[in-house]
Amino acid sequence: MKVNAGNLKKANFIMHKGSVYQVVKTEFYSPGKGSALMRTKLKSVSTGKNVEYTFKSNEMIDTLDVEAKEVQFLYSDNESLYFMDPQTFEQYYLSKDIAGSIANFLKEGVNCYIYLHDGKVLNIRPPQSVRLKVVEAEEAIKGDRVGGAKRPVKVETGVSVMAPLFIKKGDVIVVNPETGEYVERAK
Amino acid sequence: MKINVNLNNIEFHKKYIYSKRLVEEFLKKHSYTQIELPVLSPVLIPESYLEIFKTKFKFLNKESALFLTPSPELFLKRLIVNGIGSCFYLGKSFRNSEIPSRLHSFEFNMLEYYKVGADYLELADELLKLLRFLAEKLGKPKNISFDRWEKITVTDAFKRYANFTEKELYEKKLFLAKARNKGYKTEGFSYEDVWSQIYNMEIEPHLGVNGYPTIIYDYPKEFAALAKLNNDGITAQRFEFYINTIELGDCYTELDDWKEQKIRFDKEEKRRKETGKIYHPMDSEFIDYLKKGLPKCAGIAVGFDRLVMVLLGVKKIRDLQVINIF
C-alpha cells in the first residue's frame, strides 16, 4: 500500500531505498520554502540501527502489510528472543538488535504481540506497560522522601529502573518498556 | 482537536510574556514604532507554500470573505509607503495545514519588523544586538555565544555540507540529476521541493551549532518571494538565522520594483491554483502601493514562540503555553 509521507505514523513499516524500516518518530516541518516536509527517525529491521530521513510530505511511500500476532515470550539467549503461538505451538524468533531495550523488560511466559510480514518477524509490539517484581532495592535514607527523589532498583528481569524511594524489595512496579521508565507501584 | 490546559507551564509562560515586553522595549529604544494590526483581511499576498484559513463576515443575506493573515507584511508595507518609518508588529499570525509539533503551531506569534534605509545584512547587525539583549535577560543555550554571527552563503553551505558545485546548485537539470544520484526522489517534484528536502537533510543540521548563531544568506531566486535580487541575477537578498539547527527568522532586502513583484505574485497565484490551495483574492492594491515608491528597507519575520523556546531551553512551543489547542 502507498501512503503520503505526511500520513506516516509511528510503528508503520515502510520500504525505503530497498530495505524495510520501522518508523520510530515523525515530525511535521513546514519551512516555507518548497513543500512541507516529514522528518522521520527510521529503524532498520535488518540491522536495528536508526537513521534520520526527511521526506517531502506529498511523497508516496510504500508501506508493508503486517499482521500483529499474539504470542508468548519463551526465553532469550545472547542473540535472540524466542516466542510461541499458544494456539499452533509454532515458534518465532527475533534478533535482540532489532528488539532493542524492550528485551530487558520481558518476563518469561508473558503474552505480547509480534509484527509478522510474509511469515517473518519484523519486530515486537511493545506492551504499554509491564509489571515487574523488585528483587534488589537499597534502603532509602530517612529525610530523602521529599521532592520526588529516585534511586535505581533491580527488577526480576535483571535490569535497573529508577524508582521513587518508597519502593521496596518485593514490591511489584509498573514500567513502560519502551522508555524503561517507572510508571507506578502496582495495585 | 481539543482545548488543553497545562498550568505546570505557568512559570515559562510568565517568562514568555516578559520576553514580549523586552522585545518591545528594545525596538522602541531603536526608533521603531509598534503597530497593532487586524488579523482578518479581505485580500492576501499570494504565497504558494502557505495554506490559509478562510472565514466570512455575514450580515442578513450579505456575506464577504475574510482570511486570517499568515503574515502582517501586507499591512506594514502600506504604512511604510505612507511614511511611518521603521516599524514592528508582535502578534498573532495563522498558517493552515501546519500540524502542531515541536516547532509548529497553526496559530503563533510573529515578530515582524522593518528597518527603513537598511539592507538585509545591516539589519542582521542590529538583530544580533537584540538577541544579545534577550539572552542577558532571559538566558541562552550554553553552547552559543552572541558575540558574533557565523555567516555562510547558501552556495558555500551546499558546497561544504552537501558537495554541490555552484553550477549543480543553480542549473535545475544538473541539480535534479545530482539529487537523484544521492537517492532522493525527483520524479514529479519541482526544483524547489527537492531543494528544500536536501536543505533540511544535509544543510540545516550544521546551522547554529558552531558556537554562534548562523546566518545563511543569498538564496536561489526561486526562494526570493518579496526579496530584492542580487546583481548576479541568480540569488536573492534573503537570509535566515539559526540556533542549534532551528530556523528562527527570515529576512529580505525588500523588493521595491512593482513590475517584478507583479510577475512574482502572478506566478505564486498560479502555483496556488495548481496545488489546490484555498482561493483568496490577490492583494492587487499592494502593487499600487509599491508604485507610489517603497523606501529602501529590510524586513524580518521571526517565529517569536520558537525564539523564546530556544532561549529558555524548553523543548516544544507548547511548553510555553498554559492553554493550547491540538
Side-chain angles (χ1 to χ4, degrees), chain B residues 161-227:
Chain B
Y161 303 127
N163 197 27
F164 277 81
T165 64
E166 190 170 340
K167 209 173 170 195
E168 285 167 335
L169 182 59
Y170 293 97
E171 286 190 23
K172 291 185 182 173
K173 267 192 182 168
L174 290 180
F175 179 84
L176 290 172
K178 177 121 179 176
R180 238 180 341 265
N181 281 341
K182 279 176 165 254
Y184 293 98
K185 283 187 189 168
T186 58
E187 209 186 313
F189 294 104
S190 65
Y191 168 80
E192 288 88 334
D193 287 345
V194 179
W195 189 98
S196 186
Q197 184 183 19
I198 296 178
Y199 181 82
N200 184 258
M201 277 282 294
E202 302 192 33
I203 310 296
E204 284 189 319
H206 302 282
L207 305 179
V209 294
N210 298 318
Y212 301 96
T214 301
I215 276 199
I216 176 165
Y217 64 105
D218 290 352
Y219 283 75
K221 65 176 185 329
E222 285 72 13
F223 303 105
L226 288 88

Side-chain angles (χ1 to χ4, degrees), chain B residues 100-166:
Chain B
S101 69
R102 185 171 62 99
L103 301 174
H104 281 286
S105 178
F106 48 79
E107 170 181 349
F108 62 101
N109 273 297
M110 184 182 269
L111 166 63
E112 184 153 317
Y113 66 92
Y114 291 85
K115 190 175 178 65
V116 172
D119 69 15
Y120 66 142
L121 294 176
E122 286 163 348
L123 188 144
D125 296 340
E126 192 181 63
L127 172 63
L128 189 64
K129 285 184 199 158
L130 170 62
L131 293 178
R132 217 178 287 147
F133 174 72
L134 290 175
E136 274 165 20
K137 306 273 183 183
L138 290 174
K140 66 173 184 65
K142 278 186 189 142
N143 60 331
I144 297 292
S145 150
F146 290 112
D147 288 347
R148 66 170 178 86
W149 291 112
E150 176 197 45
K151 287 186 184 174
I152 187 166
T153 63
V154 170
T155 309
D156 285 344
F158 268 83
K159 200 178 288 171
R160 188 182 303 172
Y161 303 127
N163 197 27
F164 277 81
T165 64
E166 190 170 340

